[in-house]
Amino acid sequence: MDLPTPKLALVGAGIISPPAGQLAPNDSRIPRVLSLDAHGHILNWMHWQDAVCLYVRGAVSWTLGEPCMTVHGGRNRLTGEQSMVELHPIVAARGHANFRSHLPSPALTNPALFARDKQLCLYCGKEYSKHILTRDHVHPISQGGRDTWENVVSSCFRCNSKKGGRTPQQANMPLLAIPYRPSWVEHLILSNRNILADQMAFLKQHLPKHPRGEIYAIQ
C-alpha cells in the first residue's frame, strides 16, 4: 500500500518553507531522517517512508529534536478519524547494529569527491559545476598512483589536461589542499543539501576535532 504524501512542519528546521500544498514523495525539499541504532551510533540518512514504517511497527527506541514532518494516513471507517504520524529529525531504531559494519569507508564517486572539494578545482581555485569538474589523480595512474580518496582531487578540464600524466611537482601546479578520506559523518554532511538544524548540531558533535581539506591559497 502506498503511503500518503507528507506535509512538512518545519519546526526549527532552518530551511526555506516549500510552497503550500502537497509535495511529490521524492521531492528533494523533503528532509531525510537521520537514522541511529538504539545505542546512538550514527547509521545513515533514511527516507521518510522508511521512518514511518519504524514508527508504525513500534520499532523506534528514542528520538531527538522537535517533530519536523507530519504524515497523514487514511481515515478510520467507524470514527472518521485520520491517522497521523509525526516524524522527528533524528530517530534511533530498536536493537543494536554492528557499529563497524554500518560505518564503511565512503564510496569514492565523482559527486562525493566534488562535494568534498567544495566544487573547486584544487589547482586553479575556481568554482565549477559538477558537469565541468573531473577527477584528477595527484600521483598519476601511469606512474603507479591509485584511485583512492588520498590520491584524487577535483580539477577543471583545463587544469586536468594541462597537468596530464605528471605529478603536481612535475607540472609546477601546486595543490591548494591536501586530499583526504572523509569520515562517515563528513560523508553524511556532504551528501545531504537539506540538513535540518537539529541534525547538523548532532552530526557536528561527531566530526573530527581538527578540520581537514582547508584551501591554503586561492590563486
Side-chain angles (χ1 to χ4, degrees), residues 79-95:
T79 66
E81 183 179 356
Q82 187 178 28
S83 63
M84 181 183 69
V85 177
E86 287 189 331
L87 303 182
H88 294 76
I90 303 172
V91 173
R94 296 189 185 280

Side-chain angles (χ1 to χ4, degrees), residues 22-119:
Q22 297 284 320
L23 294 175
N26 294 323
D27 194 301
S28 61
R29 292 169 295 179
I30 298 178
R32 284 181 284 176
V33 175
L34 183 60
S35 172
L36 315 178
D37 69 10
H39 295 269
H41 296 144
I42 299 171
L43 300 181
N44 211 330
W45 294 114
M46 179 168 50
H47 193 274
W48 68 268
Q49 291 176 315
D50 296 323
V52 168
C53 290
L54 289 179
Y55 278 78
V56 172
R57 298 199 325 257
V60 174
S61 178
W62 48 273
T63 63
L64 287 176
E66 295 296 324
C68 64
M69 186 185 307
T70 301
V71 180
H72 297 276
R75 293 186 178 276
N76 187 296
R77 291 184 180 181
L78 298 178
T79 66
E81 183 179 356
Q82 187 178 28
S83 63
M84 181 183 69
V85 177
E86 287 189 331
L87 303 182
H88 294 76
I90 303 172
V91 173
R94 296 189 185 280
H96 176 66
N98 185 322
F99 183 48
R100 291 186 178 180
S101 69
H102 284 79
L103 289 177
S105 177
L108 175 55
T109 64
N110 280 354
L113 172 63
F114 302 156
R116 185 201 69 178
D117 293 345
K118 303 175 183 178
Q119 302 289 132

Side-chain angles (χ1 to χ4, degrees), residues 8 11 18 48 50 84 92 94 102 109-110 122 126 140-141 143 145-146 149 164 168 170 185 187 192-193 201 211:
L8 301 186
V11 181
W48 68 268
D50 296 323
M84 181 183 69
R94 296 189 185 280
H102 284 79
T109 64
N110 280 354
L122 290 195
K126 296 180 180 178
I141 296 291
Q143 296 189 34
R146 300 175 60 191
W149 279 105
Q170 292 169 343
V185 173
H187 170 67
N192 187 356
R193 295 184 179 181

Side-chain angles (χ1 to χ4, degrees), residues 125-162:
K126 296 180 180 178
E127 183 176 356
Y128 295 92
S129 71
K130 62 182 180 180
H131 304 292
I132 303 298
L133 289 171
T134 63
R135 180 190 306 191
D136 176 71
H137 294 87
V138 178
H139 191 78
I141 296 291
S142 60
Q143 296 189 34
R146 300 175 60 191
D147 191 36
T148 62
W149 279 105
E150 296 85 354
N151 190 49
V152 293
V153 295
S154 301
S155 172
C156 67
F157 180 79
R158 178 177 177 275
C159 287
N160 201 336
S161 298
K162 179 181 178 181

